[in-house]
Amino acid sequence: MDVMELGYDQEKDKLLHEIDQLKIENEKLKSELSTTKEISKYLNESEQRFEQLFNNISDAVYYLKIDKEGVSGNFIEVNKIAYKRLGYTREEMLNMSPFDIDYHEREELIQILESIMSTETLIFETMHVCKDGTLIPVEIKTHNVVMDGETFTLSVCRDISERKQAERVIRDTKKQYQRLVESSTNGIAVLQDDKWVFANEAALKLFGAHTKDQLLGKSIYDMLYPEFIEKYKILTKFGGKHARLNSTWKNLDGREIHTEIVSIPIIFRDRVAKQLIIQDVTERKQAEDLMIQAEKMNVVGQLAAGIAHEIRNPLTSLKGFVQLFRSGTVPNDKFLNIMESELERIDVISSEFLTLAKPYNVDFSPVDIQELLKNVIALLGTEASKQRISIDTSFLNETIIVDGVNAELKKVFINLIKNAIEVMPDGGTIKIIVENSEEAVDISIQDHGIGMTDEQLRRLGEPFFTTKETGTGLGLMVTYKIIDHHHGEMKVKSKLNEGTTFTVRLPVIT
Ligand SMILES: Nc1ncnc2c1ncn2[C@@H]1O[C@H](COP(=O)(O)OP(=O)(O)O)[C@@H](O)[C@H]1O
Ligand SMILES: [Mg+2]
């Protein structure tokens, strides 16, 4: 009984133990099963993800096998974009091979396929032919993958029509610009380190070069007149975007040419450079010179009347003295002094007139600007006082010297003061003020005349712009030219019905 009982208990324990074991096994199996399920789910998902990726990337993907002779069978798999782009269905494409879609001849394509096989990845450009015959430029990147001892090729194809189109546009634009530059009637040239490195036809012609070689490589300073070299350096150093300069050159034919140049900083062949746009103003300059000449004659003509008047006054008084002496009056010191000063005046006036009428002496020399102003005022004094205009001066005690052409500067102030007189028909005061700053002198001519409108102000200095019945509209043009020639500048302030102030600034010699 004991044994039996023992046997039974043992049996029972064993069974219970086995049940526990089974339970554990079961749990294990259960958990394994869920892992497997998860893995399969995961695999499923990743397959889906892969398919999504495969079909939704923007590049066409072809999966194929190429044999050693460079011949390929039909595509094994293609993604959606691959068959859509070429206008086929998936089924149609799976019955086709690279030979059906590449535009190369069979033999050429075999060579390409051979190179694909001989390297891990290859990138090249080709064209694909659509079902309807249109061609699409593509860039292909191939990858060779080994699976189960066999090599397969994955070929990723990017549509580069847009890139090609952009490249074409750039090429065309470049050509257009080239044509534009080449056919421009303005000279266009490029300088690097002050040497010519590019010149269009017009520039070559302008500089008298028959071939590019005659000009390219030469220094700009070989041709630019010495007095413009400094100006050119300043222009290109501080010129900013669009600085202008009038300059004179001796061209390769030995001809003198006048140009207006605009300098623009650019990058040329990867280095900083200056692009010059050069306009030939030789003819314009000649015409201007003619106008200046004409204007000179005109002012001389106008002055002549005033001068005749100026001379007649002292002459009349001299005649009076002669008559006095004839009638027996004995000349005394007082009479003789008056006669002498009248003769002096005639002398001054006629020599002034002669300086003006003489062709300009273009050599610069030191000019005492206040002395010059006094002379001009003396010359115009009578005309002013006839109109009940007084000329007030505010001069400096020190002597101010500018480097200039005496007769030209004289002309500037004659023009400005005459203009001031002409706008004050009811008389008044014209003020001439001399002020100096560090390196320049400012000479202001202030009138209380009719003033100017904005439109008039804008057009000042334009040839033939005049508001006067008998005006020439050349005076200010000449004035601006002369001031420019002296490296000076002129400012104008004007208020309608209140008056105008012209201020001439000239560099001084220190
Ligand atoms: N001081 C001034 N006040 C008002 N207008 C002036 C003055 N100076 C010049 N102008 C204007 O500028 C124009 C051009 O002057 P200018 O070139 O000397 O030619 P012109 O004196 O023969 O008219 C004048 O007709 C006038 O309209
Ligand atoms: Mg005038």
Side-chain angles (χ1 to χ4, degrees), residues 54-61 79 81-82 85 156-159:
F54 189 63
N55 281 318
N56 287 315
I57 55 173
S58 56
D59 292 329
V61 183
N79 71 350
I81 189 111
R85 185 189 285 163
V156 180
C157 266
R158 175 159 297 178
D159 180 345

Side-chain angles (χ1 to χ4, degrees), residues 295 302 415-416 418-419 422 466 468 471-476:
E295 165 67 10
Q302 284 178 7
N415 283 341
L416 294 177
K418 266 179 78 72
N419 277 347
E422 282 161 6
T466 179
K468 298 166 196 166
T472 61
L474 289 173
L476 283 180

Side-chain angles (χ1 to χ4, degrees), residues 182-197:
E182 278 306 337
S183 62
S184 164
T185 50
N186 279 335
I188 298 175
V190 178
L191 286 160
Q192 250 160 3
D193 304 326
D194 302 324
K195 290 201 179 84
W196 303 104
V197 290

Side-chain angles (χ1 to χ4, degrees), residues 419-420 422-423 447 450-452 456 460 465-468 471-477 500 502:
N419 277 347
E422 282 161 6
V423 290
D447 67 54
I450 47 175
M452 279 180 270
Q456 272 174 284
L460 278 191
F465 166 68
T466 179
T467 52
K468 298 166 196 166
T472 61
L474 289 173
L476 283 180
M477 186 203 77
T500 305
F502 281 87

Side-chain angles (χ1 to χ4, degrees), residues 237-440:
K237 196 163 170 197
F238 304 109
K241 261 200 160 158
H242 297 289
R244 257 164 219 283
L245 175 71
N246 283 317
S247 45
T248 307
W249 316 67
K250 193 173 218 75
N251 80 0
L252 297 170
D253 293 341
R255 245 183 339 122
E256 181 181 276
I257 51 168
H258 301 282
T259 64
E260 184 177 280
I261 55 182
V262 176
S263 162
I264 307 161
I266 60 159
I267 297 291
F268 185 75
R269 295 181 188 143
D270 298 329
R271 283 186 50 216
V272 286
K274 302 265 175 272
Q275 178 179 315
L276 299 191
I277 299 172
I278 310 152
Q279 200 181 356
D280 186 352
V281 294
T282 308
E283 278 179 16
R284 191 168 91 196
K285 173 112 189 348
Q286 282 162 356
E288 265 172 19
D289 286 349
L290 271 180
M291 274 200 284
I292 291 173
Q293 188 61 27
E295 165 67 10
K296 197 157 84 181
M297 300 315 284
N298 190 293
V299 169
V300 169
Q302 284 178 7
L303 281 178
I307 282 161
H309 183 262
E310 287 270 343
I311 293 178
R312 196 180 288 142
N313 279 346
L315 278 179
T316 312
S317 97
L318 284 171
K319 224 156 118 189
F321 282 117
V322 172
Q323 275 167 1
L324 210 61
F325 300 151
R326 273 241 170 86
S327 65
T329 310
V330 183
N332 62 25
D333 264 3
K334 196 180 153 210
F335 289 159
L336 289 174
N337 283 345
I338 296 175
M339 289 175 76
E340 209 167 46
S341 85
E342 296 288 41
L343 284 167
E344 180 82 7
R345 185 154 176 73
I346 294 172
D347 192 29
V348 167
I349 292 165
S350 45
S351 53
E352 278 304 322
F353 186 66
L354 283 175
T355 0
L356 272 176
K358 254 197 302 200
Y360 288 157
N361 172 9
V362 287
D363 288 336
F364 277 48
S365 59
V367 176
D368 178 340
I369 197 74
Q370 300 191 111
E371 189 60 36
L372 181 141
L373 285 168
K374 279 179 199 153
N375 287 336
V376 172
I377 294 165
L379 201 65
L380 297 171
T382 330
E383 202 179 324
S385 57
K386 258 201 303 193
Q387 286 195 42
R388 286 171 296 118
I389 291 171
S390 62
I391 299 177
D392 263 18
T393 55
S394 162
F395 283 1
L396 297 167
N397 287 329
E398 66 207 277
T399 311
I400 308 285
I401 306 288
V402 304
D403 190 25
V405 182
N406 196 72
E408 283 196 352
L409 290 175
K410 209 167 259 179
K411 179 140 200 167
V412 164
F413 297 106
I414 288 174
N415 283 341
L416 294 177
I417 298 171
K418 266 179 78 72
N419 277 347
I421 294 173
E422 282 161 6
V423 290
M424 291 172 58
D426 301 330
T429 306
I430 293 171
K431 248 194 165 158
I432 298 176
I433 304 158
V434 179
E435 288 163 304
N436 69 343
S437 60
E438 249 168 56
E439 284 161 354

